[in-house]
Amino acid sequence: MIIDMHCDTISEICHRRMEKGGECRLRDNTLHIDARRLKESGYLLQCFALFVSLGSCGAIRERQGQQPGRQPDKAWEEVQKLYRAYCRELEDCKDLLQSVTNVGDLEQCRQTEKVGALLTVEEGGVCGGSLARLEELHAMGVRMLTLTWNYPNELGHPNINALRPGQYGSLFQADTEHGLTEKGRAFVSRMEELGMLVDVSHLSDRGFWDVVETCSRPFVASHSNARAICPCVRNLTDEMIRALAERGGVTGLNFCADFLRTVPEGEKNSGRLEDAVAHVLHILRVGGEECLGLGSDFDGIDTNQSLPGAQSMGRLWEALRDGGLTERQLDKIFYGNVLRVLGEAL
């Protein structure tokens, strides 16, 4: 069985259909993920992110000079559009996929042999700082929220800040100064009450430690690797991995080649299986075998030629087995650890 904590497939489908005018559906496509390959590859659950870029949808410009308390609408409109597309695609694939919002739904997926689809949002800024909108996302079925993407928002600051390219726009310069806002802390607390997973991928280093202070339950880094192996700030330091493990949380192995290995400028980084194996072995050494899952980032990254899509999970399993992992450890990474955290949250 396989559980993947993060993909951007819904946003990519919408982009291809709306922007490029092509026909692209979740059932069967040429993207990294489609429903047919999820089923054939033995997935138990795929988390589908509704990804919103505050810059691309105009929300950043909208917020400049706005009065305190005014709710920005463009990001909210964008996430609603993506939600409607998600619902249409799920209905079209109802013979293969089933919506999951609680533990009972997951058990039903086991019985019906359908692939579970768990809805997440990547960009806490879609709420505009409104707890009412957070609760609306929960009512829509969202069960995980990535607090930031690459823009600061009402909740906190990212490590890679598209608005400050000279200071925190680098892949290798972490933001240890700017963390969660007071509103961000309130969101984290309310998410735990609602049964929504707090996701710290993309969040600044300072923000990570603010979440550690604020959270009382396990949280996740849905698609982040080990910074000791690849120094990109999208990855977690060893101290972060230990703190996440101590809280019972999980980080999801990200297949983005640039988060797995650094290469000299100008050299193409096409992706290698041995780099993924190196991150897995390091994370297990640092945090133990309970703190790692999968967070492919499929359809949000350039294709990793060694792991080109959902159909390639068997290849990763074999590489990790050849790297010395036992079947018990592999089961925990491929589904068990995330299943445990979801069980606690949902």
Side-chain angles (χ1 to χ4, degrees):
M1 289 191 294
I2 300 165
I3 296 179
D4 179 4
M5 284 198 289
H6 186 82
C7 77
D8 291 302
T9 307
I10 296 301
S11 299
E12 183 61 19
I13 286 173
C14 287
H15 171 69
R16 296 202 177 197
R17 293 177 66 181
M18 304 296 182
E19 303 297 329
K20 298 183 179 180
E23 180 65 19
C24 187
R25 304 304 298 265
L26 182 57
R27 173 174 288 275
D28 198 345
N29 58 52
T30 60
L31 303 178
H32 296 152
I33 281 178
D34 61 33
R36 175 185 58 80
R37 280 176 286 154
L38 291 175
K39 172 66 175 174
E40 292 174 352
S41 301
Y43 278 67
L44 173 64
L45 181 75
Q46 176 65 56
C47 296
F48 287 98
L50 306 182
F51 162 62
V52 175
S53 168
L54 297 182
S56 298
C57 74
I60 289 294
R61 292 190 301 274
E62 183 181 65
R63 289 164 201 228
Q64 291 177 350
Q66 72 176 31
Q67 295 300 314
R70 177 187 169 193
Q71 298 300 337
D73 292 325
K74 290 183 180 178
W76 185 250
E77 291 169 2
E78 179 70 13
V79 82
Q80 294 297 317
K81 180 184 77 174
L82 292 171
Y83 174 68
R84 291 190 293 270
Y86 170 79
C87 291
R88 287 194 299 269
E89 296 300 328
L90 213 59
E91 176 64 21
D92 183 58
C93 299
K94 61 184 178 182
D95 57 322
L96 299 172
L97 305 181
Q98 176 183 323
S99 174
V100 168
T101 60
N102 55 55
V103 174
D105 292 337
L106 266 175
E107 183 55 37
Q108 189 173 7
C109 287
R110 289 177 185 264
Q111 296 173 5
T112 62
E113 298 185 347
K114 291 184 179 180
V115 179
L118 188 141
L119 187 61
T120 79
V121 168
E122 185 177 26
E123 176 52 86
V126 301
C127 295
S130 166
L131 285 170
R133 284 186 170 173
L134 174 68
E135 292 168 4
E136 189 170 342
L137 289 180
H138 181 266
M140 290 158 52
V142 175
R143 293 297 181 265
M144 184 193 303
L145 180 69
T146 311
L147 297 176
T148 65
W149 187 60
N150 290 349
Y151 295 94
N153 61 33
E154 293 83 356
L155 310 184
H157 297 260
N159 248 347
I160 299 174
N161 186 339
L163 297 183
R164 303 179 72 174
Q167 187 172 7
Y168 299 117
S170 166
L171 285 174
F172 307 106
Q173 185 175 358
D175 186 347
T176 59
E177 179 182 357
H178 307 94
L180 290 184
T181 64
E182 287 305 309
K183 180 65 71 173
R185 291 176 182 270
F187 261 62
V188 167
S189 296
R190 184 60 180 140
M191 286 171 67
E192 290 194 318
E193 293 171 357
L194 290 169
M196 292 176 70
L197 277 171
V198 175
D199 181 10
V200 299
S201 284
H202 289 281
L203 192 62
S204 69
D205 279 23
R206 171 66 182 273
F208 176 96
W209 295 111
D210 289 343
V211 169
V212 171
E213 287 183 4
T214 307
C215 270
S216 59
R217 303 174 69 177
F219 62 95
V220 301
S222 67
H223 52 304
S224 297
N225 298 329
R227 205 178 297 178
I229 302 298
C230 176
C232 172
V233 296
R234 274 284 288 104
N235 294 333
L236 303 179
T237 66
D238 286 359
E239 292 76 16
M240 291 174 177
I241 293 169
R242 293 188 190 99
L244 186 69
E246 289 170 1
R247 287 299 179 89
V250 176
T251 188
L253 181 71
N254 190 318
F255 299 167
C256 176
D258 288 335
F259 300 163
L260 291 169
R261 176 176 71 116
T262 57
V263 297
E265 188 174 353
E267 180 180 325
K268 181 174 176 56
N269 194 355
S270 58
R272 307 182 309 184
L273 271 174
E274 56 261 40
D275 299 324
V277 173
H279 281 268
V280 169
L281 294 177
H282 182 82
I283 291 169
L284 294 188
R285 282 195 299 268
V286 172
E289 59 188 42
E290 306 288 335
C291 74
L292 180 62
L294 302 178
S296 67
D297 211 356
F298 277 149
D299 294 313
I301 58 174
D302 292 337
T303 300
N304 182 321
Q305 296 302 322
S306 67
L307 296 166
Q311 72 279 5
S312 58
M313 291 303 94
R315 189 183 302 175
L316 178 62
W317 175 285
E318 292 172 1
L320 291 172
R321 183 193 58 197
D322 293 344
L325 270 66
T326 66
E327 187 165 337
R328 176 180 57 82
Q329 291 173 318
L330 288 167
D331 283 342
K332 287 184 177 183
I333 293 167
F334 274 72
Y335 71 92
N337 290 335
V338 178
L339 190 61
R340 169 183 53 79
V341 173
L342 286 173
E344 293 186 37
L346 302 183

